[in-house]
Amino acid sequence: LATGPRQNNGIFYEIRTYDIKPAKMKEFLELANKHFPFCPALSELVGFWYTDLGALNKVFHIWKYDNFAHRTAVRHALANDKDWQEKFISVIRPMIEKQHNEVAYLVPWCQLGKPPKEGGVYEWVTFQMKPGGPALWGEAFQAAINAHINTGYTRLIGVFHTEYGLLNTVHVLWWNESPDHRAAGRHSAHEDARVVAAVRDSVRFLESQRNVLLIPMQCSPLK
């Protein structure tokens, strides 16, 4: 996080969240896994997950765009793709109760990572920070994240800072081999003086935090 420009290019990520009707969740996942591998290759799908703990009947997907003109062109092309609209969008639309999207940038000190292997679980942690932006809390927040990285209790995939949506929001995506591996790491972190000190310094800027355990879908590039 920085007080100046985040990056030297226009790349950003759109984070889309869908609330699915409980009775339709299984059907939605089957349709998404069937159709998303054949989605028009107009933008890059980073990952597609469904929630397992912390929230129910939600799916998260993240898309990468070169700039806002790229997103506009993609949305226009998808809206005019007859097969995509008729075979997928029109079918899933009645299954969705609510949609939410955010535009976010990767923080400049973080590169989008990949897990060392397939088959694990992801944790999506949303931090609502105090108003003031990175100029106020960026340094302390980065130190807290680095403390978790340096101990090796969990693996960082990405840190996203919102540009559109609720501001002063940071999403952190972690990977673990299993929920039990994650739980063991959390217990160790709570007893690690390095982590405790960094978190104690950053939490004074924190308004709220929410953790959600995510399971990658078959169609997700990040598995």
Side-chain angles (χ1 to χ4, degrees):
L1 300 166
T3 56
R6 296 183 180 85
Q7 55 196 29
N8 295 321
N9 56 50
I11 293 174
F12 67 86
Y13 298 83
E14 183 176 8
I15 303 163
R16 298 181 71 90
T17 306
Y18 295 170
D19 285 44
I20 309 300
K21 295 178 180 179
K24 295 293 184 178
M25 188 65 177
K26 182 175 183 294
E27 186 179 354
F28 177 92
L29 296 180
E30 290 174 348
L31 283 167
N33 280 320
K34 177 181 177 181
H35 288 282
F36 260 83
F38 305 102
C39 176
L42 302 171
S43 58
E44 180 183 342
L45 176 63
V46 175
F48 203 142
W49 303 266
Y50 64 90
T51 56
D52 188 51
L53 293 172
L56 294 176
N57 302 305
K58 289 180 180 287
V59 295
F60 286 77
H61 40 128
I62 301 176
W63 298 89
K64 180 181 178 181
Y65 293 99
D66 296 333
N67 48 48
F68 287 98
H70 179 207
R71 181 185 183 274
T72 298
V74 168
R75 300 302 297 174
H76 179 76
L78 289 175
N80 288 280
D81 188 298
K82 186 175 180 180
D83 283 345
W84 181 248
Q85 292 295 325
E86 292 183 356
K87 295 179 180 179
F88 183 63
I89 299 300
S90 63
V91 179
I92 68 164
R93 188 176 291 117
M95 303 178 186
I96 299 173
E97 289 191 325
K98 186 169 60 175
Q99 293 176 292
H100 176 71
N101 77 329
E102 296 171 288
V103 166
Y105 292 96
L106 276 175
V107 298
W109 45 268
C110 169
Q111 298 294 318
L112 191 63
K114 292 184 178 180
K117 61 182 180 180
E118 294 184 1
V121 296
Y122 292 78
E123 184 174 13
W124 183 254
V125 187
T126 298
F127 299 93
Q128 186 59 43
M129 309 302 291
K130 291 183 181 298
L136 175 67
W137 41 259
E139 185 176 338
F141 186 87
Q142 181 180 354
I145 296 298
N146 283 337
H148 285 86
I149 296 171
N150 295 335
T151 57
Y153 299 134
T154 184
R155 181 179 288 263
L156 180 68
I157 302 299
V159 181
F160 304 88
H161 183 207
T162 57
E163 182 76 9
Y164 287 98
L166 188 60
L167 298 184
N168 296 295
T169 301
V170 185
H171 301 291
V172 183
L173 183 62
W174 302 96
W175 179 89
N176 288 282
E177 292 184 10
S178 69
D180 286 319
H181 181 266
R182 184 264 183 193
R186 291 283 289 179
H187 285 263
S188 297
H190 291 161
E191 298 175 355
D192 192 312
R194 297 166 295 176
V195 177
V196 172
V199 170
R200 183 180 291 126
D201 186 46
S202 66
V203 76
R204 57 198 172 101
F205 301 110
L206 182 66
E207 295 280 3
S208 65
Q209 176 181 337
R210 183 171 186 176
N211 297 38
V212 180
L213 191 71
L214 302 177
I215 307 298
M217 293 174 57
Q218 295 174 12
C219 63
S220 177
L222 283 176
K223 291 187 172 63

